[in-house]
Amino acid sequence: MLLTLILTTALLVRFGTADFAHALTFPGRFTGAVLLAVAFTTLLGAAGVLDHWIRHSFSYSGLVALIGAFAALLTNVLVLVETVRDGDSRWYPALFAALSAGSAWAVLTVWRTRVPIPAPKRVAAAVIVSSVIAVANFSYQNLYVPYQRKTEPLITLSVGRAVPSKDGKAFSVPVDIAIQNHGSVGFYVLGTEFHAMGLRVPLSPEDRLRQQWRVDTEQWSKSSVVNPLSRREVYQPGELVEAKPWMPIGQWIESSGTFATRLVVQLPMNTPYDQVAFYATASLARKDRLVLQPPLQFVGNSWSGDKTSAQVKQRGLDSLIYRARVHENNALDEYTRDARFVTVYWNFGPKGVHVTTTVARKGEENRVLPLAEQLELVSRYGLVDLVAGPHVRTLWDIKSQR
């Protein structure tokens, strides 16, 4: 019994101190305080065991030992459930299974000594109420977590007036991009990209047939851009004109924060495109779901031929790869789960640009996840993908100035 109670106390102090000092949310810190309170109770239970069987100096030491053993049993079972459900370690579930069994044996052993219980109804009510509070708090923090309501910043993209060059051979189009975080949670910036797609849109001399409309709709499933059905306009796949990141990766945008930038796209006056479509995207992660350990650094590309590039399987696209270590938002997951890394792929090619992210153990970055695991991953780490665009600019007016 002493070994069970002392080991339980040590582990709860370890988890509780880490959560109370470093958890990313108030419920997490409250859980840390609860764990420390339970650790104090189990420590008193160990002292009660010593006095109940050896010293006999306190008449209610048996009751103290019983309460401490019951607190250890309840907490060990709850932690066991969480480590089995969500942890990667095999050692921790085995340890807490043993501590749960030891705590149950301690409760039965102390109970069989027929310890005197003053005001048993009040004691029972206090134990029941405290147990309900502990179970509710643990479930709230580790199983359901309703405080993690959906929130995300907003990207705005606006295109300015095209300006011709002095020699009349080129023109530039200013593009303003801003991200505004109106929520109560900050976000890490894992990756951003801005790109412009040139579009040729010739006009048919006659009304297009219904069969041609059907062919247009068949292309919708083959592209991320859905061109409208048109009686005269003949839309063709866009071609990449320009692409670049628009915000430093690994930085963050705090609650009520704003970041704005201006980019300029330049084209020759005799460009073959009729329109230019502008896009801006950002891949973010909530700061209350993970800790991003800096730096989020470049680790390779898809064409170098090394081990890193061999893991990238983006058909028809080249990729720049960035990676950083992430830490869990609570101590229990941090200790019982394997190390995770966020990997960011900045993918580009003639038909477009996009950023993808994943959080996985080292070596599993490119494992294809079932839909359920993808949703769980997005929820656990608060991954958010923001998109602005397409913002289409017609070029006929500026080309006519040639």
Side-chain angles (χ1 to χ4, degrees):
M1 281 188 285
L2 281 176
L3 180 61
T4 297
L5 293 174
I6 291 174
L7 280 177
T8 299
T9 300
L11 288 170
L12 296 185
V13 167
R14 184 186 188 189
F15 294 144
T17 302
D19 268 342
F20 186 72
H22 304 295
L24 302 181
T25 62
F26 174 76
R29 303 219 173 189
F30 183 73
T31 297
V34 171
L35 291 178
L36 290 176
V38 175
F40 180 71
T41 303
T42 56
L43 183 62
L44 289 180
V49 168
L50 283 175
D51 190 82
H52 185 62
W53 267 279
I54 299 176
R55 298 184 60 183
H56 307 290
S57 60
F58 182 55
S59 59
Y60 295 116
S61 59
L63 177 60
V64 173
L66 181 62
I67 294 175
F70 180 78
L73 172 61
L74 180 63
T75 307
N76 285 327
V77 169
L78 291 175
V79 175
L80 174 62
V81 171
E82 174 62 15
T83 55
V84 170
R85 185 188 73 93
D86 214 25
D88 299 314
S89 171
R90 295 181 179 179
W91 184 81
Y92 274 104
L95 174 61
F96 280 105
L99 290 177
S100 298
S103 301
W105 174 77
V107 170
L108 291 175
T109 302
V110 177
W111 179 261
R112 287 174 179 173
T113 61
R114 297 183 180 181
V115 297
I117 302 178
K121 292 184 178 180
R122 294 182 180 180
V123 173
V127 170
I128 292 173
V129 170
S130 61
S131 300
V132 170
I133 292 175
V135 172
N137 174 73
F138 186 85
S139 301
Y140 180 85
Q141 170 67 11
N142 294 288
L143 300 179
Y144 179 54
V145 203
Y147 73 91
Q148 293 179 344
R149 58 187 179 276
K150 185 176 178 62
T151 180
E152 60 184 38
L154 173 68
I155 294 181
T156 57
L157 183 153
S158 60
V159 179
R161 186 175 66 87
V163 180
S165 62
K166 290 184 178 181
D167 58 9
K169 295 182 178 180
F171 64 93
S172 61
V173 181
V175 181
D176 293 309
I177 305 173
I179 181 170
Q180 299 173 317
N181 183 13
H182 298 296
S184 58
V185 178
F187 287 83
Y188 290 107
V189 179
L190 303 181
T192 62
E193 64 85 12
F194 160 80
H195 70 278
M197 301 293 291
L199 304 174
R200 293 181 174 90
V201 191
L203 295 178
S204 172
E206 300 177 352
D207 286 352
R208 303 174 70 239
L209 300 176
R210 185 177 180 183
Q211 181 60 38
Q212 293 174 311
W213 291 9
R214 293 174 179 173
V215 173
D216 289 344
T217 61
E218 291 175 355
Q219 304 303 313
W220 291 356
S221 62
K222 303 176 182 179
S223 173
S224 59
V225 178
V226 178
N227 292 318
L229 298 179
S230 175
R231 187 175 294 277
R232 289 299 180 97
E233 294 176 323
V234 183
Y235 282 85
Q236 299 178 6
E239 298 175 346
L240 183 65
V241 172
E242 186 166 325
K244 65 178 71 175
W246 55 271
M247 190 174 181
I249 65 171
Q251 302 299 310
W252 53 84
I253 178 169
E254 295 290 1
S255 173
S256 302
T258 300
F259 176 87
T261 187
R262 167 169 284 192
L263 306 175
V264 177
V265 177
Q266 300 186 76
L267 290 170
M269 194 67 75
N270 62 350
T271 179
Y273 304 118
D274 301 300
Q275 301 174 359
V276 177
F278 301 96
Y279 300 80
T281 68
S283 182
L284 313 175
R286 287 175 54 146
K287 291 185 70 177
D288 64 341
R289 306 283 185 92
L290 58 80
V291 176
L292 184 65
Q293 178 177 308
L296 178 55
Q297 61 185 358
F298 175 76
V299 295
N301 56 56
S302 60
W303 60 86
S304 61
D306 57 12
K307 182 178 179 181
T308 301
S309 64
Q311 296 175 347
V312 181
K313 298 179 181 179
Q314 295 288 343
R315 183 176 300 176
L317 294 176
D318 294 322
S319 302
L320 302 177
I321 308 166
Y322 303 84
R323 185 169 294 135
R325 172 72 193 279
V326 300
H327 297 278
E328 306 290 337
N329 70 342
N330 65 85
L332 186 59
D333 285 345
E334 180 69 15
Y335 286 121
T336 62
R337 289 171 61 84
D338 295 336
R340 256 64 174 183
F341 296 82
V342 60
T343 304
V344 182
Y345 302 95
W346 207 87
N347 308 300
F348 61 96
K351 300 302 181 182
V353 179
H354 65 274
V355 175
T356 57
T357 60
T358 185
V359 179
R361 287 177 286 199
K362 201 166 187 178
E364 296 184 358
E365 298 88 353
N366 294 287
R367 184 171 71 89
V368 178
L369 300 178
L371 179 59
E373 287 191 40
Q374 294 180 25
L375 296 176
E376 195 277 335
L377 184 71
V378 169
S379 176
R380 168 180 287 277
Y381 296 109
L383 303 180
V384 175
D385 291 321
L386 305 179
V387 178
H391 191 121
V392 180
R393 170 70 162 83
T394 301
L395 302 181
W396 289 349
D397 59 334
I398 191 69
K399 291 169 67 175
S400 65
Q401 301 179 31
R402 183 175 50 177

